[in-house]
Amino acid sequence: MSEQIVIWHNPACGTSRNTLAMIRASGAEPVVIEYLKTPPSRETLTALIAAAGLTPRALLRQKGTPFVEMGLDDETLSDDALIDAMMAAPILINRPIVQTPLGVRLCRPSEIVLDILPTALADDFAKEDGEIIKAP
């Protein structure tokens, strides 16, 4: 993995915005990929899922998506079928996913990003809702 930090971001999502702001508060400027405009390739998505230690089902977003309409609540669907669905409708990919030299995580809640940032927060961080994340 390169030294870059990459965030698969949705600017309409508060969790994604908080995660991006925490990355920047650590002194890093990440590569920001708005995944609804520029979805990952199947190969990239599969690699992100594996690197994060997730299953495709664990990465599926249900709220505000065509999850039920697409029949994705069927527990017998294969991983390939779930990835196919995410490729067809990227809104199904939960976010934000962050890649750093220290790993890949689905950052829900947003402070999970702190586990993989190369540089810790220097100061306390206030999330959009006012919650304070204490600097180490």
Side-chain angles (χ1 to χ4, degrees):
M1 183 180 294
S2 73
E3 293 300 309
Q4 286 187 315
I5 296 173
V6 177
I7 180 171
W8 295 84
H9 178 61
N10 180 348
C13 171
T15 300
S16 198
R17 290 191 305 270
N18 280 320
T19 302
L20 177 58
M22 277 189 248
I23 294 168
R24 288 178 170 153
S26 79
E29 183 53 41
V31 173
V32 179
I33 302 172
E34 290 188 31
Y35 75 95
L36 295 177
K37 292 180 181 177
T38 309
S41 67
R42 183 183 188 86
E43 177 182 70
T44 298
L45 181 60
T46 301
L48 288 169
I49 290 168
L54 298 172
T55 64
R57 185 161 297 281
L59 190 62
L60 273 176
R61 181 168 177 81
Q62 296 180 29
K63 184 180 173 186
T65 73
F67 178 83
V68 173
E69 294 83 355
M70 292 177 73
L72 300 174
D73 51 347
D74 177 352
E75 294 289 330
T76 66
L77 290 174
S78 69
D79 287 352
D80 281 339
L82 298 176
I83 291 171
D84 289 344
M86 287 185 264
M87 296 307 302
I91 192 70
L92 290 164
I93 302 170
N94 215 337
R95 76 285 179 151
I97 301 169
V98 177
Q99 299 168 269
T100 79
L102 302 178
V104 176
R105 298 287 185 281
L106 171 61
C107 295
R108 298 192 74 78
S110 55
E111 52 271 23
I112 287 174
V113 76
L114 300 175
D115 296 340
I116 59 169
L117 288 178
T119 305
L121 294 176
D123 297 306
D124 292 350
F125 178 85
K127 292 170 67 171
E128 288 182 3
D129 66 1
E131 179 184 354
I132 302 296
I133 305 300
K134 294 285 189 186

